[in-house]
Amino acid sequence: MKKRIKTILAVVICCFLLFSVAACGSSSSDATEKTYGITSDWEYYSLTVNGETTYRSAVIPDSDNPHFSSEDGATFKLNVVPDKIYTGDLTLNEDGTYTLTKKDADDSVASLNLKIEGDMLTISFPGGQTIAFKAK
């Protein structure tokens, strides 16, 4: 009888320890991923042209890297090369992407597509090129 009680007690203690250790872990549904909006602070990450991706380099000064910003969520500033800043309007689409429309432009690259996924902002150009920015 004593042996049976010790066995049952040992099983109960093991189950208790198992559940107490498992309760310490967090599930993926509990973890909250930070979301970034169009007005977040973005820094250049990469440029893809003809399937070749070039990433940000530490040897290139930040002033020579592309920049994107939107202070109000309705307008933007974008430069891909230094000293050539494009400005325009942002339009939020139903699917959560944005359309960037350059001011005073009637050419084929007057409208660009922009999407934000996680901490990455990607702008797509008509020829298939993309430029990516990462939230700071």
Side-chain angles (χ1 to χ4, degrees):
M1 186 75 166
K2 270 186 169 183
K3 190 174 181 178
R4 180 182 273 178
I5 292 176
K6 286 183 181 181
T7 305
I8 293 172
L9 188 57
V11 170
V12 169
I13 290 173
C14 286
C15 289
F16 176 74
L17 288 174
L18 177 67
F19 288 120
S20 66
V21 171
C24 293
S26 66
S27 68
S28 60
S29 63
D30 291 341
T32 56
E33 185 177 314
K34 183 171 177 159
T35 57
Y36 296 91
I38 195 76
T39 58
S40 295
D41 195 10
W42 301 100
E43 68 181 349
Y44 170 67
Y45 182 74
S46 68
L47 176 69
T48 303
V49 178
N50 297 327
E52 296 289 324
T53 301
T54 305
Y55 294 94
R56 180 185 178 121
S57 172
V59 295
I60 297 175
D62 187 52
S63 61
D64 291 343
N65 284 322
H67 291 86
F68 173 85
S69 65
S70 176
E71 294 180 11
D72 58 6
T75 59
F76 72 92
K77 288 183 183 178
L78 170 68
N79 77 299
V80 179
V81 294
D83 301 325
K84 182 85 170 172
I85 299 173
Y86 298 99
T87 60
D89 298 317
L90 286 166
T91 304
L92 178 60
N93 302 316
E94 288 183 17
D95 62 358
T97 63
Y98 289 85
T99 299
L100 285 71
T101 306
K102 292 192 308 186
K103 288 191 189 239
D104 304 325
D106 294 324
D107 58 31
S108 62
V109 292
S111 292
L112 304 174
N113 296 317
L114 180 150
K115 69 178 176 178
I116 300 173
E117 293 178 320
D119 64 347
M120 298 298 294
L121 178 148
T122 305
I123 299 172
S124 301
F125 293 85
Q129 301 89 347
T130 61
I131 187 165
F133 297 89
K134 187 172 180 112
K136 289 184 183 180

